[in-house]
Each structure stands twice: as C-alpha cells, then as structure tokens.
Amino acid sequence: MAFDINMIKKVYQKYPTAVEVARKVTGKPLTLSEKILYTHLWNGNADTAFTRGEDYVDFAPDRVAMQDATAQMALLQFMQAGKDKVAVPSTTHADHLILAKLGADKDLQESLNTNNEVFNFLSSVCNKYGIGFWKPGAGIIHQVVLENYAFPGGMMIGTDSHTVNAGGLGMVAIGVGGADAVDVMAGMAWELKFPKLIGIKLTGTLSGWASSKDVILKVAGILNVKGGTGAIVEYFGEGATSLSATGKGTICNMGAEVGATTSTFGYDESIERYLRATDRDDVADAANDIKEHLTGDTEVYENPELYFDEVIEINLSKLTPHLNGPFTPDLATPVSEMKEKAVKNDWPLDVEWALIGSCTNSSYEDLTRAASIVEDAVSKGLKPKATLGINPGSEQVRFTAERDGLMDSFMKFESTKIFTNACGPCIGQWDREGASKQEKNTIVHSFNRNFAKRADGNPNTHAFVGSPEMVAAIAISGRLDFNPITDTLTNENGEQVKLSEPTGIELPKNGFAVEDNGYQSPAEDGSGIEVVVSSESNRLQLLTPFTPWDGENIIGAKLLIKAEGKCTTDHISMAGPWLRYRGHLDNISNNCLIGAINAFGGKTNAVVSQIDGSIDEVPNIARTYKAAGITSIVVGDHNYGEGSSREHAAMEPRHLGVMAVIVKSFARIHETNLKKQGMLGLTFSNEADYDLIKEDDTFNFTDLNAFSDGKQLTLEVVHANGTTNTIILNHTYNESQIDWFKAGSALNLIRKQNS
Ligand code: MIC
Ligand code: SF4
C-alpha cells in the first residue's frame, strides 16, 4: 500500500471538476502541466486564466521532500515558524552526507560516526514535527520518492533541484530553497510564476545503444543550460509512452540542467506498471479512474504548436548515444564525433573512473543495462581499463539487484567498487585517491552535473555525462573516444571483439524486495520531543533572524566581487567537504563565493579590500566590510546561481552583509532564494552596464524607498575618479516579495504573522 493514499485520493477527487473549470476559463484544451497547475491552486478552482511567464500564482503542493544537506537549513527555519506539525506529508532523506571511499559498508559506518550529530538532529526534528525520515543508506532522495511517493497528477516541492525527477511518474515536482518548503510545511500558499510550456514530442523508439539518458543529453544540447528557464517541459508522443517510468524519471531529472522549472510525462501504461511493481496498486487503480485527466488533451498533442510556447521534436529511432561535457552538462557530443572533438579540445582520452549512479540513473533497469555490458565483456575475455564505481539509488534497488545477481556481475571486474546507496561522488562526497595532485584527467559518469571540481574537488578533472551502459562500455575500453557501435577492443587472447548492445530489464521479474528500507515514521504526538542544538556545535547553529530593512536608501555600498562567466551555486557555495557545515550558517559562510572568478584579475577567491587595498579571500573581505558597517554588493554574469537549490548560496552573502546581487540574468531557484532571504536580486536593464562596474566603485541605490512591483530601480555608480554612471535595474519582485525584503526575510514575516 502506498503512503498517504487518502491524500492522493482527495487530490484525484478534485480533478474532474477542476480540469473542466480550467478548460472553461482558459477557453482551450489543456496540456498536462496546466491540468496539474490548475488543480493545485491555493484558492480552489480557477476563476481566471493565468498568463504564462508573467502572473505570480499561489499553489497548494501535495507534499514536500528534503535531503539532509538542505533539510538542516530548511528545518532550522521551520523551527522558527511557530508550528507544531507539518501541514502536508513531508519527508527527509539522509543521502548527501555519506562519503564514498572504501565501499558501502565501511563508508556508511564512517559517515554515521562523523555525521552523528546532524543525523540525530534531523531524526529528532522529523520525529517531532511529523516528518518521515529515511535513514542514511536508505537511498537517494529522488529514487526513494519515485519508489514511494510520486503519483501521477500530483504536485510536490523539494529542497533539491532534482526533485523534478518525479515528473517521470507524471507529477509536477519542483526544486525549491528551504524557505519555500517552510511555507508549505507551515500550511501557507506556495508562490510560483505561472510557467511557460515547452512541448517535446518524442517519435519512434529507442534501440541499440541509445537510452533515455541520451534523450535528455540531446535536449540539453538543444536548449542549453538556460533554455528551459521559467518553463515546464512536457513530453508526449508515441516515443514517450514507449519509455519506462524510470527512464522518464531520468529525462525529467536532468531537466534541471536546462534550467526548466520541471518536466513531466502523461500517465500511461509504463507508469502504471511501475506503480504496481512498487506495491502501489491502490495509486494505480485510483489513477486509472481519472486517467483522461492525467495526460494532456488529445487536441493539444495533435497540434502542439498551438498550445505550447515552444515545440521540439526528437525521433528516438534516430537517437545515438551522447557524452556531455566537460565542465557543463549542455556540451553535447554524439559518441561518434567524440574522437575528433576530444583531440581538437585537448580533452584527456584515457579514462580513470567510470561511475554509475546518482538520482538520475540508479534504477533497477539502469543497473541491468550496465550489468549486461559487464557480463558481455567478461564472456568475451575483456578486462576493464578504468575503475567502475556504482551507487545504487535505494536500498530496495540494491537489495533486489543483489538478489538477482547484478551485483555479482559488476564484481566480476575485480576493481569494481560498490558504494553506499547515496549521492557520493555526484556531490563531491568522494575521497578519490590522488585528486589533490590536481592532475588533468578524465572521468565519465551517469550523473547529471559536471561543473568544475564537483566530483573530486580537482579543477582539472574533465567529467563527461553519459548513460549507465555507455559508462560501463567506457570503463572497459578506458577511452573517452570509444564508440561501442563501431569500435573493437582487444581481449586477453589478443582477439578483436565488439561489445554487444545492452539489454535491460524494466522491472524485476520476481518483484522488488527489501529487508530494511531504512524508513523511520514520525511520532504521532511529537510535542514531548526536544530538539537539542548545542551552542558549542560547529555543525549546527540555531538561526538569528536577519535584520529588517531600515527604510533608507542604501548608500556607499562596496563591491565584494564581480563574478565573471559561469557562476553556479557550486561556485557560490561549494559542496563536497563543505557539506558538513550545511547546518551552521556562520561556518559555511567561509566558502561564500570562493569558486567565483573575479572579473578583475581572473582569479578565484582573491579580491581587493576597498578599505585598505589588501588582497584577501572573499569571505574575509566580506566580514571586514560587515564589521566596518559597509554594505556590499555582488555583480554577476548570465544564469547566475545555476544548478542547485541550496539556499546557502543566498543566506551566506546575506549573513556576510551583502544586500544586492546584480547580474545579467538569474537561474530561477536562486533568484527566489535571494528574495526569500530579504536580499535584492536585480538584473541590468542594459546588459552592457556590467562592463561599467569597476573594482573600486561606490554604489548608491537612490530610489529604494519607492521599491514597488513593476518599477525599475536606479543605481548610481560612483567611480574612484569621481565620475558617475546611472544604471537602471530590473527586478521581478511583486508586492508580497517586497514585503519580505522590508521584513528582512520571508521567515521574519511568517514569524510575525504567527506571533
Ligand atoms: C546538487 O545536485 O547540486 C544537490 C547537492 O543535490 C543540490 C542540493 C544541495 O546543494 O544540497 C541540488 O541539486 O539542489
Ligand atoms: Fe544527489 Fe547528485 Fe542527485 Fe544532487 S544530483 S540529489 S547530489 S545524486
């Protein structure tokens, strides 16, 4: 039986009428995305049609998911909201804090030792406030959500950008910062700009080496890292129904890498099969009753150009395997072109590690496809040239895979390492031998992100993203430019052999099995549970509310850093070793912007103090400004804050005295995070003004006291030689978001309302 089946049934009861009403007010047939959005309006059935990409709308999501690295901050904030219990079903998953080094058992135990305080904190907060807790080793948040909680037509938010994975089961699932999760858990509306809609029509069927992963690798190449910003990507067509549910999850998952708000697929037989295989007949039966509402209207899919803002068509029958990278997930290269491109770009061709796993590709089906390659290689007398590392997505997947012999297959390569059911190397939780030497090298993985330093902290590691079966093939060949479709390999007898095409099993023939899934259900009545945070702790720190705006224009601000080029949340608040401070704002602030490239001088983590001309690390300079009572600002390029949902990337600068972040454009989640934490997230109305900003400028916001919805703000830039430029800044704050700024943060406002 499914968790929270009554909640799901209630949602389904609303569907027929809510969809009908939405069709009426919009006066047209509906996409699936619109059906889900319109049935989840905070104010009940629609009385007006919303303008996509413009209107802010209040929604009522059905559930919330959090992972350990973001949950700490989310729950520290929730504890301040003055509530006894969460208002909607919510879960926390311990998956990011487990370091991959020696292999699953030892690593898990080591992580329990080192993160004990944080896990205990999470477990007791969850217990107290009615939140389900998935213990360390239970699995990666999105795989566990897909297996247990995701349901067609539902809406959820999660404090992780890959929450979108649940689109594979036909949800609208959106990644958010912790402060947004607090809104929903506190029983308040959740606000989102009504998304635009991108339709992707899939025709044909996958064959040979092509996989679901290649669909999204190709889409990333088409849309690039910001092409999906502000939009929901909806997949449809006969190609879509031919994909497995976990394959759909893979595609939705990596939609985060094109900046999409989320991605989704209509309810179909593969989703039904998956629900039944994961012990959720009740959800499948309930979904079948309202089937026609859980997918887009026929007219929409017949004439998509009329109903989507943009339509892309991909023929799965023609799709070939891709590898995306290095350093960005949208640099897509068909494997057949890799030889030439790699040589031209001087990418190291020898591959040392081939990693399979992450929330994107760690399903049972993924493991079977990769295992089939390993078995084939063994039978042909091939040994791997690179080390294969595997992170299963959940204990259920691992247990079943072990029962069915898949783990034995992987272990036929002596060097294979099976890591914990956790994020591991995907988030820099990887103690990779030799990484500190910073040698130029190549790795391939089936993860979704490959920003510099992400996996092993080495800026010279070139990471390429591919399907699990391609990753397995490259493990065997040890070459980035290996094309399994055309190339042969030399086996131990000196013969030339070719790898056979991968074969996979969608769902385990004998069903899924698990002994201990690692779930802890919360206390019925948590009022007696005390959550203790020691003031001595360097891992956890209770939050002190940010100071409200004093009502005055900000005058005399200094530049903390002008970031040049790509500045993702990994650059703003690095993960890896820093994950240990995710619950301690002051300590984690020591990584603030240390990965951003300073536009003056091109270095990272070296900026000039405008107080005494000294050069120091970014967090230190920020602290000196703060101590001197000087407000600082950050300037950035396009798609600033791309990547993760981590609100630390907004809270840290806020904590260190930065009041405004002015950029050419923002990634969605980060922009909202800045607003929630009471900061000014602004964009240049004229992009070229970025070039006017000098290192030693002084900044005056001259009309902040007239800050209002739809009105631009003015910034006076005073250069060191006394000349000035007046710059016009755009913003997307509505009146209630301006109130967050005035209150010092959204949470300050909630607290006020609850007191
Ligand atoms: C990531 O993949 O970057 C993370 C780690 O899962 C983040 C969340 C975080 O920073 O904790 C994400 O994608 O939101
Ligand atoms: Fe974990 Fe990586 Fe997925 Fe983020 S992308 S949730 S770090 S597995």
Side-chain angles (χ1 to χ4, degrees), residues 86-316:
V86 287
V88 301
S90 305
T91 51
T92 296
H93 305 256
D95 56 358
H96 280 62
L97 295 178
I98 303 164
L99 186 74
K101 185 175 181 188
L102 300 169
D105 295 345
K106 291 200 179 93
D107 294 349
L108 180 59
Q109 190 49 52
E110 179 61 21
S111 152
L112 292 172
N113 299 344
T114 48
N115 299 303
N116 187 25
E117 182 186 2
V118 171
F119 292 146
N120 283 343
F121 166 76
L122 293 174
S123 153
S124 67
V125 182
C126 288
N127 208 6
K128 181 171 179 67
Y129 295 107
I131 302 169
F133 181 56
W134 290 79
K135 292 184 266 189
I140 306 175
I141 171 169
H142 312 302
Q143 182 67 33
V144 173
V145 166
L146 202 74
E147 283 171 12
N148 295 281
Y149 300 113
F151 65 99
M155 178 190 261
M156 71 178 279
I157 58 164
T159 60
D160 189 283
S161 62
H162 293 108
T163 303
V164 294
N165 187 71
L169 287 196
M171 279 196 119
V172 159
I174 301 182
V176 297
D180 284 44
V182 171
D183 288 351
V184 176
M185 293 190 295
M188 298 173 9
W190 174 67
E191 187 190 57
L192 178 76
K193 192 177 264 185
F194 204 87
K196 293 199 167 187
L197 301 173
I198 299 177
I200 301 195
K201 180 170 181 180
L202 301 179
T203 60
T205 40
L206 291 171
S207 64
W209 281 87
S211 74
S212 302
K213 182 72 155 201
D214 298 304
V215 176
I216 187 63
L217 293 178
K218 174 142 186 109
V219 169
I222 298 172
L223 285 175
N224 80 48
V225 287
K226 59 185 175 69
T229 306
I232 296 187
V233 181
E234 183 169 326
Y235 292 85
F236 60 95
E238 91 231 7
T241 44
S242 74
L243 299 168
S244 67
T246 50
K248 292 179 170 94
T250 293
I251 294 174
C252 292
N253 186 303
M254 245 191 106
E257 272 52 66
V258 298
T261 302
T262 191
S263 308
T264 194
F265 281 83
Y267 180 56
D268 63 12
E269 282 168 17
S270 71
I271 298 181
E272 177 176 355
R273 282 197 297 279
Y274 187 75
L275 285 170
R276 295 196 189 280
T278 48
D279 202 17
R280 287 176 289 172
D281 283 326
D282 44 2
V283 181
D285 293 341
N288 283 345
D289 287 344
I290 58 154
K291 222 180 188 151
E292 70 275 24
H293 302 306
L294 299 177
T295 188
D297 287 337
T298 320
E299 299 92 309
V300 169
Y301 292 161
E302 275 170 1
N303 296 297
E305 303 73 27
L306 300 180
Y307 303 104
F308 289 97
D309 298 290
E310 184 181 344
V311 178
I312 295 170
E313 189 167 326
I314 296 177
N315 183 347
L316 300 186

Side-chain angles (χ1 to χ4, degrees), residues 386-422:
T387 312
L388 191 60
I390 313 246
N391 283 83
S394 71
E395 177 56 11
Q396 174 160 287
V397 163
R398 191 207 62 79
F399 190 95
T400 313
E402 180 155 351
R403 181 200 64 192
D404 296 351
L406 301 177
M407 294 302 173
D408 289 341
S409 300
F410 292 125
M411 294 312 284
K412 287 187 181 161
F413 288 165
E414 264 166 42
S415 54
T416 297
K417 282 263 181 317
I418 308 282
F419 295 123
T420 320
N421 314 316

